[in-house]
Amino acid sequence: MTKELMALFGLSVPTILLSAIAATAVLVYLPFVLVAVARVQAGYSQEMMATPRATIDKLPDYGKRATWAHQNSWEAFSLFSVAALMAYVTQQNSAVVAWSAIAFVPIRFFYSVFYVLDIPVLRSLMFALGSTCIITLIGSSITTTLQ
């Protein structure tokens, strides 16, 4: 691990990887807070409670986008978790791996923000950057095992 990284965060790369997984798990639910607000605003009823996916059309537009951001967050979380655990298991200890894990967290935060605010260009940029972080983690892990 680089001295700069240790000085900046005081954390080891394995700790950064596991912490990033935990933070990303929390971020899965961030858009859902807005989904809940949108449901209340739409007049949350027994019908909506019984069939929440079928009643998405009753939500205001921001609520629909928050729902989609929440669903996409689950998808991203599953891929990122696997990538971070691959790096953890293969004992990756580079600054690139650490920064990829660190960067993924705010990238996913802003992905959801831009999704809810309906800014597709920035949302797509965050998606691409997040995917790059995942690919970096997987690539580093596979490269190590091939040596």
Side-chain angles (χ1 to χ4, degrees), residues 37-132:
V37 171
R39 286 179 178 174
V40 170
Q41 187 178 3
Y44 199 65
S45 64
Q46 286 292 85
E47 175 195 357
M48 289 180 89
M49 188 180 295
T51 58
R53 293 175 195 247
T55 57
I56 190 171
D57 290 336
K58 295 180 181 180
L59 297 179
D61 287 344
Y62 79 88
K64 292 174 189 172
R65 290 189 303 271
T67 299
W68 300 326
H70 173 65
Q71 291 168 348
N72 183 271
S73 293
W74 275 115
E75 296 164 8
F77 174 71
S78 64
L79 291 172
F80 176 72
S81 296
V82 168
L85 288 173
M86 285 175 68
Y88 183 85
V89 168
T90 59
Q91 300 177 357
Q92 298 301 303
N93 208 21
S94 72
V96 170
V97 166
W99 282 112
S100 293
I102 291 166
F104 189 80
V105 176
I107 286 168
R108 285 307 300 183
F109 171 80
F110 286 113
Y111 174 88
S112 292
V113 169
F114 295 143
Y115 208 142
V116 172
L117 293 176
D118 197 19
I119 307 173
V121 171
L122 293 178
R123 180 190 79 215
S124 296
L125 176 63
M126 293 302 108
F127 183 84
L129 291 173
S131 296
T132 301

Side-chain angles (χ1 to χ4, degrees), residues 10-21 88:
L11 301 172
S12 67
V13 174
T15 300
I16 289 170
L17 290 166
L18 296 177
S19 298
I21 293 170
Y88 183 85

